[in-house]
Amino acid sequence: MGERVRIVLQRSLIGTTEDQRATVRTLGLRRRGQSVVREWSPELEGVIRKVRHLVAVEPVEEGEHASQAR
């Protein structure tokens, strides 16, 4: 298993473009403060870069589970 990261939606989607909203939905985020854990990949990096002003990304420790999200 590769490196895993937690992605947290920190900013509201109000005032963003429809394209940015669709990107955030693709990540599986709906509400501010919600987080998801994903496997790191070059494709994910590109998606995150598109909405980097809306999200925070942090590494997930090996023993930590997705259910332990903030």
Side-chain angles (χ1 to χ4, degrees):
M1 186 184 293
E3 184 181 358
R4 296 171 62 88
V5 294
R6 174 174 288 117
I7 306 163
V8 182
L9 183 60
Q10 289 193 319
R11 307 278 315 238
S12 171
L13 298 178
I14 295 172
T16 59
T17 65
E18 186 57 39
D19 194 38
Q20 290 170 338
R21 290 179 197 176
T23 301
V24 169
R25 282 193 304 264
T26 300
L27 287 171
L29 299 169
R30 291 173 167 241
R31 292 178 298 278
R32 194 167 129 323
Q34 183 180 9
S35 66
V36 293
V37 176
R38 297 278 187 253
E39 193 77 27
W40 187 255
S41 68
E43 294 83 7
L44 181 63
E45 183 178 2
V47 170
I48 291 171
R49 185 172 297 185
K50 188 171 186 176
V51 292
R52 66 182 173 258
H53 59 290
L54 301 173
V55 299
V57 180
E58 54 193 38
V60 174
E61 300 298 323
E62 280 297 316
E64 202 172 342
H65 298 290
S67 62
Q68 294 175 336
R70 290 181 167 188

